Amino acid sequence: MTANETIHPTAPAPEIDASCRLPLLALLVGASVWLVVGTVLALIASIKFHAPEFLAACPLLTYGRVVAAANDALVYGFCLPASLAVIIWVFARLSQTVYTLPLVPVVAAHIWHLGVFIGLLSILLGHSTGFTWLEFPRGGSILLFVAFVLIAIPTAASFGFRLEKDLYPSHWFLLAALLWFPWSYASANIFLVAMPVRGVAQGVVNLWFANNLLYVWFSLVGLGIGFYFLPKLTGRPLQTYYYALYVFWTLALFGTWCGLPQGSPFPAWITTLSSVAAVLLIVPLIGVTVVFGRSLGGPGSDGPMGGPLSFVKFGLVSFLLSTLMYIALACPQISRLLEFTWFGVAQSQLQILGFLAMVLFGAIYYILPRALGFDFIAPQFIRAHCFLAGLGVVFWVAPLALAGYAQGANAYSLDASLNWLRISTLGLGFILLGNLLFALNILAMFLTWKLNLVKTLFAAITAPLKVSEVKS
Amino acid sequence: MSADIKSSLPKPPSDPRPEAVRTTLPIWIIVLTLMLLFLGGLYFDNHSGWFQTQVYGPYASVDQLELYQPKSGAAAELARGKVVYEQVCGLCHGADGLGKPGQAPPLAGSEWVMAKGYNRLAHIPLAGLSGNISVAGKDWNMGMAAMGAALPDADLAAVLTYIRTSWGNGASPVPMEDVTKVRAGLGARPQPMSHDMLMTMPE
C-alpha cells in the first residue's frame, strides 16, 4: 500500500472526498427524505392491515396503493440512490483519484428524485402498472433508467481512470451492480410495459425482475460495500480475496435463476430450475459466512458500539439470515407450508431494511463527514439510530416470519397471524424513529453546508480589496 | 472558496485503502459446488418434465399427465382395463402379457385370447381353469382361480378388451353386456373350466 503510494501520484484522501461532495449530497438528501416517506407509508399500510378502519376515508391511502408506494419509496427512493452515492465514493477512493465529472450525477440525482416523485404520486392516485416492484408508470421508470445510466457512466469511468491498478473484491460486486440494474430494469419494463409479453410469460418476467432487483442487485451492492467497510473499520484485512470472488461468481451465476415459487402457475421446468438454483445459493452463503467470520476475528480496533461497524455487521448477519430464508422457501417441503404467506414478505423486508439499508447507513455515517469536511450535528443520534434500527428490524421481520408460519400451518387463515402482525407494526415504529434521526442528521448537515457556502460567498463579496489588486 | 472552509475545519483521520488477503481458495468449496450441481441436476431430471411446456407442478412428466387425463370411449375402456389388469392379472401373467414360466401362460400371442369370439375366454376368469391346456404351442398343466368373479362386469369387460387388443393382439373388444350374459349362464358357484369343457362351448 505505502509502496504503491510512492510510485503513483495518487490524490490525497480529502481531495477525493471533496470531489464526491456534490453528487453525494444531491443523492443522499433526497434519499433520506424518501426513506422517511417510505417508512411512514409502510407504517400506515401495516396499521391498516389489522385495523382496516384507520384512514379508511382517504382513497389515496387504500391498502393496495400504500403498500406499493411504501415498497417503491424504500427501494427506488432510498436504497438505489443511497447505494449509488456510496458506490461513487467507494470507486473514487479505490481508484485513488478524484471523481470524474461530478456534475453529471448531480443532474442525474435530480432526474432520479423527480422520477420517484412522479412514480409515487401515480401509485397513490391509482395509476400503477400493476406489476410488483415495477409499479411506476412509464414516465417515472424512464426517468429512473436515464438517471441511473447517467450516474453509472462517470462512475464506471472513474473505475477506468483508476491510478491504483490492483482490483479489490468490491470492484467486482459494484461494477456488476452498475451494469445489472439497467439491464434487468430495462428488460422488465420493455417486456411488461412497453411491449407486453403474453400470458404466463408476464408473471415469469415480473418475478424474474423482482428476484434480480431484491436478491441479486441488493446482494451485489450490500456485499460489495460491506466487504469494503469491514476491513476498513476493523483495521484487519479481508479474509480472503478469492472467497469474496467465489461468492461474486456463484451469486451472479445461481442468483439470477431464483425467485419463482414452486406453486406459481408456470411450467414445471421453470419453477424446478428456480428452486434448484436457490438451493445452490448455499455456496455463496457459505462463502460470505467464511469471509465475515474470518475478517472479524483477530486483534484490531472495532470502534465504539453503535458506530458504522455495528451497522455493517448487522447488515451482513441479516444477509445470511435472509439468504437462508430464501433457500428455505425454495425447498419443496418448506415451501408447501410457507409459500405465498407473510414469510416471503419477511424475507424481502429483511433484505431491504435489515441488510442493504443497514450497510448503507453504516457507510453513509462514515463517508458524509469526510466528504463535507465537518462532523454530524448530532453524532449521538447515530448510536440511537443503530439501537432503534436493530431493535426495529428484529421486531418487524421476526413477527412477519412467524405470521407466515401461523398462516401456512392454519390453512392460510388470517386470524392466526393477526397478533403477530400487530407486533410487527411496533417494530416498524422503531424503524421509523431511527430513520427520522438519520434524516435529521443528513438534512442538518446539508443545511450547515449551504449556510457555510452562503457565508463564504458573503465574505468574499464584502471582503476589502487586496492591496496588490488595487495597485494593478 | 471551498479550500478556505476545509482549512478551518478539523482534518479527517487518514484511512488507507482496505486490503484483502490473497490465499488460494480451498478445494472443498469447489467440490461442494459440483456436488450440489450434480444433485440439483438429478432433482431437475425427476421434476422438470424436461422443458415440456404443458407439464405444470405438481406433475413431473408428460407420462404422469397422460395417466391422469380424463378419457372417453375406447381410450377410457383401455385405460380402465390396463389399471385392472395390472392390479389383478399382471402379477402372474406379467405387465407385458408374456406370462411367467411355471406360473402362468402368456396372453400375448395366445390363441385363446385372440380367438374370433370371446365366449370361451370370458369363462376362464369367471369360473377359473384347471388341467392340461395348450397355449401358443406349449403345454401348461396348472390351475387358475376365478380371479374375475369378484370384478364388476364393466371392469372385466375392460380387462378382456385390454388383453385382446394389447401387445400386438389384434382381436375385437368385449362389450359389457356379453360378460353379463356369460356370468348369468354360469350360475352361482361354477366349476373351474377345463380344456375339454371349453372346447364344447361355441367360440
Side-chain angles (χ1 to χ4, degrees):
Chain A
M1 193 61 235
T2 41
N4 276 335
E5 266 173 348
T6 51
I7 297 164
H8 302 295
T10 51
E15 215 168 283
I16 299 171
D17 294 345
S19 72
C20 304
R21 181 183 299 157
L22 291 176
L24 283 180
L25 279 175
L27 284 162
L28 289 177
V29 170
S32 59
V33 172
W34 292 129
L35 176 69
V36 174
V37 169
T39 328
V40 168
L41 289 172
L43 192 67
I44 293 174
S46 176
I47 294 171
K48 281 174 93 88
F49 202 86
H50 49 76
E53 69 279 8
F54 177 68
L55 296 177
C58 181
L60 288 180
L61 299 175
T62 322
Y63 180 76
R65 295 184 190 178
V66 177
V67 167
N71 284 335
D72 284 0
L74 287 174
V75 168
Y76 295 108
F78 174 70
C79 287
L80 274 121
S83 300
L84 286 172
V86 176
I87 293 173
I88 284 174
W89 183 85
V90 167
F91 265 28
R93 271 297 188 92
L94 281 175
S95 308
Q96 308 265 306
T97 175
V98 290
Y99 190 73
T100 39
L101 298 172
L103 281 180
V104 177
V106 173
V107 175
H110 288 90
I111 299 177
W112 180 280
H113 291 309
L114 180 70
V116 174
F117 179 72
I118 292 175
L120 289 181
L121 209 62
S122 313
I123 294 174
L124 290 178
L125 290 172
H127 299 295
S128 99
T129 62
F131 295 108
T132 329
W133 303 109
L134 285 165
E135 287 93 348
F136 286 1
R138 204 174 297 193
S141 47
I142 288 174
L143 288 180
L144 292 197
F145 179 78
V146 169
F148 193 101
V149 172
L150 280 181
I151 297 172
I153 290 171
T155 311
S158 91
F159 168 76
F161 298 147
R162 69 192 184 281
L163 295 172
E164 174 64 59
K165 290 295 171 195
D166 252 7
L167 288 188
Y168 183 75
S170 301
H171 273 130
W172 294 79
F173 286 87
L174 300 180
L175 199 63
L178 288 181
L179 299 169
W180 210 282
F181 180 79
W183 164 59
S184 55
Y185 194 64
S187 312
N189 270 301
I190 287 171
F191 290 127
L192 289 179
V193 184
M195 298 183 284
V197 289
R198 288 194 295 174
V200 166
Q202 283 194 355
V204 176
V205 172
N206 194 359
L207 286 171
W208 170 84
F209 172 74
N211 168 67
N212 271 275
L213 177 68
L214 286 189
Y215 193 77
V216 182
W217 200 85
F218 273 43
S219 302
L220 287 175
V221 173
L223 291 178
I225 297 171
F227 287 171
Y228 179 86
F229 279 99
L230 204 59
K232 198 177 188 72
L233 295 174
T234 56
R236 292 182 291 264
L238 192 76
Q239 309 250 19
T240 68
Y241 184 87
Y242 293 106
Y243 264 114
L245 229 57
Y246 201 65
V247 168
F248 169 77
W249 284 113
T250 47
L251 189 73
L253 193 61
F254 305 140
T256 9
W257 304 82
C258 310
L260 296 110
Q262 296 228 303
S264 44
F266 308 134
W269 71 267
I270 297 180
T271 53
T272 308
L273 198 61
S274 174
S275 47
V276 168
V279 172
L280 280 162
L281 287 180
I282 291 175
V283 177
L285 179 69
I286 292 175
V288 176
T289 314
V290 171
V291 173
F292 186 46
R294 283 213 202 155
S295 306
L296 274 186
S301 61
D302 280 6
M305 180 74 180
L309 184 62
S310 301
F311 281 99
V312 173
K313 278 200 268 189
F314 189 98
L316 289 177
V317 171
S318 297
F319 169 79
L320 300 179
L321 286 176
S322 99
T323 304
L324 213 55
M325 287 165 82
Y326 212 47
I327 295 171
L329 271 174
C331 295
Q333 285 83 4
I334 305 172
S335 75
R336 229 167 274 151
L337 184 71
L338 297 178
E339 201 167 79
F340 306 127
T341 66
W342 283 100
F343 192 83
V345 180
Q347 193 274 331
S348 57
Q349 291 295 320
L350 185 61
Q351 187 79 359
I352 298 169
L353 290 170
F355 167 46
L356 188 62
M358 289 299 257
V359 171
L360 290 174
F361 290 143
I364 292 165
Y365 281 136
Y366 184 87
I367 294 169
L368 215 51
R370 285 167 176 77
L372 289 185
F374 55 89
D375 201 7
F376 283 109
I377 310 305
Q380 65 274 21
F381 279 6
I382 298 176
R383 218 173 148 186
H385 178 199
C386 188
F387 179 69
L388 283 168
L391 199 70
V393 168
V394 171
F395 274 88
W396 169 233
V397 173
L400 283 183
L402 289 167
Y405 176 76
Q407 229 182 333
N410 293 297
Y412 288 89
S413 146
L414 210 55
D415 292 345
S417 56
L418 267 188
N419 272 331
W420 292 118
L421 295 177
R422 289 190 182 105
I423 298 174
S424 75
T425 303
L426 184 76
L428 204 57
F430 288 137
I431 294 178
L432 176 62
L433 283 181
N435 289 349
L436 272 174
L437 296 182
F438 172 80
L440 279 179
N441 250 335
I442 304 288
L443 294 180
M445 205 154 193
F446 174 65
L447 292 178
T448 316
W449 173 76
K450 271 262 150 119
L451 207 65
N452 281 342
L453 211 62
V454 173
K455 268 189 201 159
T456 321
L457 199 67
F458 189 68
I461 294 166
T462 53
L465 284 176
K466 284 181 185 159
V467 183
S468 56
E469 283 176 19
V470 177
K471 264 184 185 171
S472 63
Chain B
M1 249 185 277
S2 60
D4 290 343
I5 301 175
K6 223 164 38 189
S7 62
S8 66
L9 289 156
K11 281 251 154 56
S14 71
D15 40 1
R17 188 180 194 257
E19 286 292 294
V21 180
R22 292 193 184 232
T23 38
T24 329
L25 195 70
I27 194 75
W28 65 263
I29 196 161
I30 295 167
V31 173
L32 179 82
T33 315
L34 294 176
M35 275 170 61
L36 282 172
L37 266 173
F38 178 70
L39 292 176
L42 286 184
Y43 182 82
F44 184 78
D45 192 28
N46 287 330
H47 293 83
S48 66
W50 273 102
F51 304 104
Q52 296 284 339
T53 41
Q54 70 268 42
V55 181
Y56 278 62
Y59 306 106
S61 64
V62 178
D63 291 348
Q64 219 179 27
L65 282 180
E66 290 282 318
L67 200 63
Y68 294 113
Q69 284 304 321
K71 293 178 185 74
S72 61
E77 188 80 353
L78 269 185
R80 186 175 188 176
K82 185 172 195 269
V83 172
V84 177
Y85 178 83
E86 277 165 7
Q87 281 172 359
V88 181
C89 327
L91 292 177
C92 296
H93 288 286
D96 46 7
L98 292 177
K100 284 176 186 164
Q103 204 176 346
L107 300 178
S110 156
E111 65 271 30
W112 296 96
V113 175
M114 292 200 293
K116 217 174 219 164
Y118 36 77
N119 185 37
R120 290 174 187 166
L121 176 65
H123 276 81
I124 300 174
L126 280 171
L129 183 67
S130 70
N132 253 324
I133 193 164
S134 162
V135 179
K138 264 182 87 180
D139 280 342
W140 296 77
N141 188 6
M142 48 188 53
M144 169 180 151
M147 301 294 289
L151 288 175
D153 291 348
D155 279 0
L156 191 55
V159 82
L160 291 176
T161 304
Y162 176 70
I163 63 173
R164 275 167 70 81
T165 52
S166 302
W167 320 302
N169 293 359
S172 59
V174 180
M176 192 183 87
E177 300 78 48
D178 292 346
V179 173
T180 316
K181 263 183 233 161
V182 172
R183 197 195 290 269
L186 275 169
R189 310 193 68 172
Q191 291 293 307
M193 294 289 133
S194 69
H195 176 257
D196 296 343
M197 281 167 79
L198 286 173
M199 290 312 280
T200 59
M201 296 173 182
E203 233 185 342

